[in-house]
Each structure stands twice: as C-alpha cells, then as structure tokens.
Amino acid sequence: MAGAALKTSAFVPEPNKGQEPFTLAPLPYAADALEPHIDKLTMEIHHGKHHKAYVDNLNKAVAGTALAGMTLEKIMSNISTHPVAVRNNGGGHYNHTLFWKFLSPAGGGEPSGKIAEMINRDFGSFVALKEKFNSAAMSRFGSGWAWLVLRDGKLDVGSTPNQDNPLMDVSEIKGKPLLALDVWEHAYYLKYQNRRKDFVEGFWKLVNWGEVNRMLGK
Ligand code: MN3
C-alpha cells in the first residue's frame, strides 16, 4: 500500500518498502527549485519521464514473478541472478529516489555534523573528498553514477555503470549509499551540454547534508 509506505521516515527510500506495484513519489521540491544549477525542464523530464519509465518498466519486469512484493534492497543484493530488466529498472528506481532527496534548494556549502567528522577522518578534508568524488564522476565513461558510501564503518568513493549501485552484488564499490550523483547525460545535457564538470560543480551547491547525516544514522 503506497499510503502505508508514506508513513515511514522521510529518508527511508520509498522503493525499500517492498510495495508492489512500485510507485513514483513526487519530487520533494518544485521542479524549478534547484535553478540555476539544475534547470526546471531537465528536472521535469528527468523525474516525470526517465524516473517514471524505470518505475513502470520495473513493475512490468516483476509482475507475476517471485520478485513481486520483495524489497528492492533484497532484490539488488543478488541482482546477478535476476533478469537485466530488473537490474536496470530496479536500480533506476532506487538510485533516482535517493538522488532527489540528496538535493535541496537550501543545500550546498560545507558538510556538518557526524558526516563532517567522518569526511575529515577518512579523507583528510572536505576538499579532498570532493576531489575524489569529482574524479569518480568525471572518469565514469558513458552513463552511470558517482557514490559516497559507508562500508565497515569507513567512507569510500567510487562509481557504477548504467543504473547499478553499491547494494548490488555485481558492483565494484559496495556499501550503504550516503550520497549519489547521476552522471547520465539526461541529468545535465539541456543546460550543460558536454560540460559534465560544470554540472558536478553545480551539484555541490545543492547537496542536502542533513539528508546525508540522516542516511548515516539509519
Ligand atoms: Mn537519471
């Protein structure tokens, strides 16, 4: 039941609730709220068309199978045994649900709280983390995601291809996602064209550190 899922904590990604069919939650802010860093039309297409298609195609892929009603986290933990449509669309739904929440019109600036301490401990400084994260985002060839994750109590940075994520058994980087950046061209091409680097810089001006801290405490 979608209504029941909405009663859970705001930072638990909706697709983790094992609801079936999976549903597209509204953006947590207006489509133009992230301007100038991410433009309104990009947000409308990205959420209303791309993310919606992942949800619709995921529902088609799991309908009538043993995966229907299973949580996405469980599905992803042994994704190598499932059809590629589940990997692509399940990952797409999960990743985008996280991504919208990691952005905020009131975001950006320096990290605070527990995540700030851990960044300093594990990377030396926020500047050093950004360099590593930006490198992961820039060096991902073609389409994919950059990630900050928690694994065995330590922070790590890496990237995944396509709609893969660190919860998947096939992923090179594994752990609990704490921050995600979509580097598919559909995330930035209308405004930035080929300038992925400028999009990544814009992303840092939107990061919702409160959400990162809440994920950390989950
Ligand atoms: Mn996308």
Side-chain angles (χ1 to χ4, degrees):
M1 293 285 289
L6 291 175
K7 288 178 190 156
T8 61
S9 161
F11 44 87
V12 176
E14 161 261 327
N16 289 352
K17 302 317 294 177
Q19 60 192 33
E20 196 268 334
F22 295 100
T23 56
L24 180 68
L27 285 172
Y29 32 71
D32 63 357
L34 305 182
E35 291 195 354
H37 309 299
I38 306 180
D39 62 286
K40 181 183 181 188
L41 184 59
T42 294
M43 289 300 289
E44 286 175 342
I45 296 171
H46 200 175
H47 176 262
K49 305 290 186 190
H50 290 278
H51 188 174
K52 182 175 190 302
Y54 297 127
V55 174
D56 291 346
N57 290 324
L58 174 62
N59 283 326
K60 282 182 204 158
V62 302
T65 76
L67 300 178
M70 197 181 285
T71 66
L72 267 183
E73 283 183 341
K74 182 158 168 54
I75 292 171
M76 289 185 291
S77 69
N78 55 359
I79 200 74
S80 60
T81 66
H82 301 315
V84 70
V86 175
R87 176 171 170 177
N88 290 340
N89 294 294
H93 183 28
Y94 184 85
N95 297 351
H96 286 86
T97 301
L98 285 180
F99 184 50
W100 309 135
K101 292 179 180 180
F102 285 138
L103 305 175
S104 167
E110 300 272 325
S112 57
K114 179 90 179 183
I115 191 66
E117 291 170 25
M118 292 182 70
I119 288 169
N120 289 333
R121 185 196 70 186
D122 293 345
F123 299 102
S125 68
F126 177 46
V127 169
L129 162 69
K130 273 176 73 171
E131 277 176 15
K132 201 166 177 194
F133 191 96
N134 290 0
S135 171
M138 292 306 297
S139 61
R140 169 49 57 191
F141 184 77
S143 298
W145 291 75
W147 300 93
L148 172 67
V149 301
L150 180 69
R151 187 180 192 190
D152 298 331
K154 275 201 72 177
L155 300 178
D156 195 13
V157 161
S159 72
T160 54
N162 305 313
Q163 296 295 354
D164 287 358
N165 65 51
L167 298 181
M168 292 182 175
D169 60 356
V170 294
S171 180
E172 276 181 34
I173 178 166
K174 291 193 176 66
K176 173 160 80 169
L178 298 179
L179 186 60
L181 174 58
D182 187 343
V183 295
W184 284 55
E185 284 187 346
H186 70 221
Y188 62 89
Y189 205 83
L190 290 180
K191 179 179 174 70
Y192 294 99
Q193 293 84 48
N194 62 322
R195 303 187 308 278
R196 184 187 288 188
K197 188 169 186 294
D198 293 348
F199 168 64
V200 174
E201 281 306 316
F203 162 77
W204 289 112
K205 298 186 170 71
L206 298 169
V207 170
N208 183 349
W209 290 109
E211 199 63 29
V212 176
N213 271 309
R214 281 189 288 271
M215 285 294 287
L216 187 59
K218 240 175 68 175

